[in-house]
Amino acid sequence: GLTTDDIEGVTNIGSWFVNNTTIETFDEFERFTGMTTIQGSPSYSGGFMGCKSLKSIKLPKTLTTIYNGSHQYNNTGCFRDCIALEEIVVPPLVTAIPHSFARGCSALRSVTFEGEITSIADRAFTNCTPLICDIPQTVTSIGIFAFRSCDMSGVVLNLPNLKTLGGIDTFAYTKIKGIESLGEITALTFQGDPPGYYSQYPAFYNCTELEYVNLPKTLTNIGRNMFQGCTKLVIDELDLPNLTTIGVSVFSGVKIRKVKNLGKVTTFPQLSCVGTYIEEINVPDTVTAFAASALNGFTSLHTLNVDWSKIITLDKQALYNCMGLEFDELRTPKLETIGSNALYNVKIKKWLDMGKLETLIGGGTTHQNYGDRETLEEIVLPKTLTSISNGALHNYKYCVIRD
């Protein structure tokens, strides 16, 4: 048998245990104190990948590095697919969790980080469905799919040193409770196909237990659908002074009370937040266009602070059914395009300057492209007008038209 000296003299286990389906416990591994690295081989990450019966293991305190292997997504992962493993204690000298470290460990309930972890790589804990663990505040980067479909019930992310966060599936379908800090990250981007396509989702997609989030004011870019499906999330005041880019439906299903600042965006986006909750929006001075359905269905919105003199485009249904908005006089001297039902049910008394419109678009009997029919009293047609479509001002019965 092996002596203590033999065990302590081992410095590399290579692929000795890979795909071993009989080993159930290996707490003795902590005695392999000659090891500083789980080395692996060119085609495997080494370690205990595929040990489907392994329930318990203790790692040597001397470990500093866990090797990634040479293939990022195939045939790698120190504990990948160890489907019986319930707990991992990461030794204190390890600072980086490699990709696919415990991917697919479907019984893994607990991970304890004894040291100052700085990075958690792609897919490190993907599909560890029962996993609940606190992430150290020392972490500076988290990769894509890192905690996808883990439980994470009650976990609050407090990551003041975070600099990068993978935008695809990082915490999608988890039950995190709150986001206290995401450090000073500048981007929360989703570069994949639309949500669900090829099973890719934004970082916080469908976190149904997420109740609050403190978004860094350093953010310049938020990708589409980032918080879609976070139906318990409430944001009292959205304040992102450095924002330049925001995708569609970032806050779909989220309750936002006030949009204070969206930085320097040039097109006001389709927010898709809960329309019966939002009350006030400040539109940046840089905005020249409202996207299609930008404020669609915001029935509780009563204050829209916008410099109408800069607006060039009102896309279709841009302010659809914003029935709480009232404008005694509206002047849009630069307006060039207005889409179908852009101002449906918006209460405008006098539209005194329609800018550079060339066509008044029409529509069916339900269309209200130029505000609420019962409210509009006067409209001044632009001198640039060349055509008026059928039904353009259908049933605006109290309106006086001037040119």
Side-chain angles (χ1 to χ4, degrees):
L2 292 174
T3 66
T4 298
D5 288 343
D6 291 334
I7 292 173
E8 293 176 354
V10 174
T11 58
N12 182 12
I13 60 171
S15 302
W16 294 353
F17 298 98
V18 169
N19 293 325
N20 183 319
T21 58
T22 59
I23 186 171
E24 294 185 3
T25 62
F26 196 13
D27 292 347
E28 299 83 0
F29 188 47
E30 69 176 341
R31 296 168 57 192
F32 284 61
T33 55
M35 292 188 60
T36 58
T37 302
I38 295 181
Q39 190 73 26
S41 66
S43 59
Y44 287 104
S45 66
F48 301 89
M49 186 185 73
C51 293
K52 297 184 182 298
S53 300
L54 183 64
K55 296 179 179 179
S56 176
I57 187 171
K58 293 182 179 179
L59 300 177
K61 299 292 186 184
T62 52
L63 281 181
T64 61
T65 305
I66 300 172
Y67 182 64
N68 285 341
S70 59
H71 301 286
Q72 187 167 357
Y73 304 126
N74 299 312
N75 300 324
T76 63
C78 182
F79 293 106
R80 180 172 176 174
D81 295 330
C82 292
I83 58 176
L85 189 61
E86 296 184 356
E87 180 181 7
I88 298 174
V89 177
V90 179
L93 300 179
V94 174
T95 59
I97 304 300
H99 59 72
S100 301
F101 173 66
R103 180 180 177 183
C105 292
S106 54
L108 188 64
R109 298 181 179 279
S110 172
V111 174
T112 301
F113 303 101
E114 292 188 328
E116 295 187 350
I117 302 296
T118 57
S119 65
I120 299 174
D122 297 353
R123 294 170 168 82
F125 298 101
T126 301
N127 293 333
C128 297
T129 48
L131 179 61
I132 300 174
C133 73
D134 291 321
I135 301 173
Q137 293 186 18
T138 50
V139 166
T140 60
S141 67
I142 302 177
I144 62 174
F145 290 89
F147 291 91
R148 159 76 189 263
S149 295
C150 297
D151 187 322
M152 302 295 276
S153 290
V155 171
V156 174
L157 301 180
N158 187 12
L159 305 170
N161 295 294
L162 195 66
K163 298 191 184 323
T164 58
L165 179 72
I168 302 177
D169 279 283
T170 317
F171 292 95
Y173 289 99
T174 64
K175 297 176 183 177
I176 56 173
K177 180 180 181 180
I179 300 175
E180 187 66 35
S181 175
L182 291 177
E184 296 184 354
I185 61 172
T186 58
L188 270 175
T189 56
F190 176 63
Q191 302 293 346
D193 292 291
Y197 196 75
Y198 290 129
S199 298
Q200 292 183 353
Y201 297 88
F204 296 101
Y205 185 88
N206 215 40
C207 292
T208 55
E209 299 299 315
L210 182 61
E211 297 178 0
Y212 67 94
V213 56
N214 293 320
L215 291 173
K217 292 187 178 181
T218 49
L219 277 175
T220 61
N221 187 343
I222 303 180
R224 65 173 182 265
N225 308 94
M226 188 57 57
F227 293 94
Q228 180 174 336
C230 299
T231 52
K232 287 188 178 180
L233 180 56
V234 176
I235 299 175
D236 287 331
E237 187 172 274
L238 190 62
D239 187 10
L240 299 170
N242 291 294
L243 199 66
T244 58
T245 305
I246 183 169
V248 299
S249 299
V250 167
F251 299 103
S252 181
V254 175
K255 295 181 178 69
I256 301 175
R257 183 72 71 187
K258 176 182 178 180
V259 177
K260 179 181 179 180
N261 195 341
L262 285 185
K264 299 177 181 178
V265 299
T266 56
T267 297
F268 200 93
Q270 179 186 348
L271 289 178
S272 300
C273 55
V274 176
T276 55
Y277 192 85
I278 194 163
E279 296 179 352
E280 181 178 349
I281 294 176
N282 294 323
V283 178
D285 290 340
T286 49
V287 166
T288 60
F290 283 84
S293 297
L295 310 180
N296 189 335
F298 286 9
T299 56
S300 62
L301 181 65
H302 58 69
T303 302
L304 181 67
N305 298 313
V306 56
D307 186 349
W308 286 108
S309 69
K310 296 181 178 180
I311 302 303
I312 297 171
T313 301
L314 287 169
D315 212 333
K316 61 182 180 181
Q317 299 184 343
L319 278 72
Y320 183 88
N321 214 24
C322 293
M323 60 180 62
L325 291 181
E326 299 184 9
F327 301 98
D328 289 336
E329 294 184 358
L330 187 63
R331 289 179 169 84
T332 53
K334 293 185 178 180
L335 189 66
E336 296 178 3
T337 304
I338 185 168
S340 175
N341 279 327
L343 295 166
Y344 183 93
N345 267 353
V346 176
K347 295 177 176 62
I348 304 168
K349 286 188 177 181
K350 297 181 180 181
W351 197 337
L352 301 179
D353 189 343
M354 299 187 78
K356 302 176 182 179
L357 285 178
E358 295 181 359
T359 300
L360 290 189
I361 62 171
T365 57
T366 61
H367 283 59
Q368 297 183 48
N369 304 321
Y370 310 102
D372 178 58
R373 286 175 177 153
E374 303 296 321
T375 306
L376 190 63
E377 299 174 357
E378 182 179 348
I379 188 169
V380 178
L381 300 180
K383 297 186 182 301
T384 51
L385 197 66
T386 58
S387 65
I388 300 176
S389 301
N390 289 335
L393 293 170
H394 176 79
N395 234 6
Y396 281 88
K397 52 189 176 183
Y398 304 111
C399 180
V400 175
I401 301 172
R402 306 186 189 280
D403 57 16

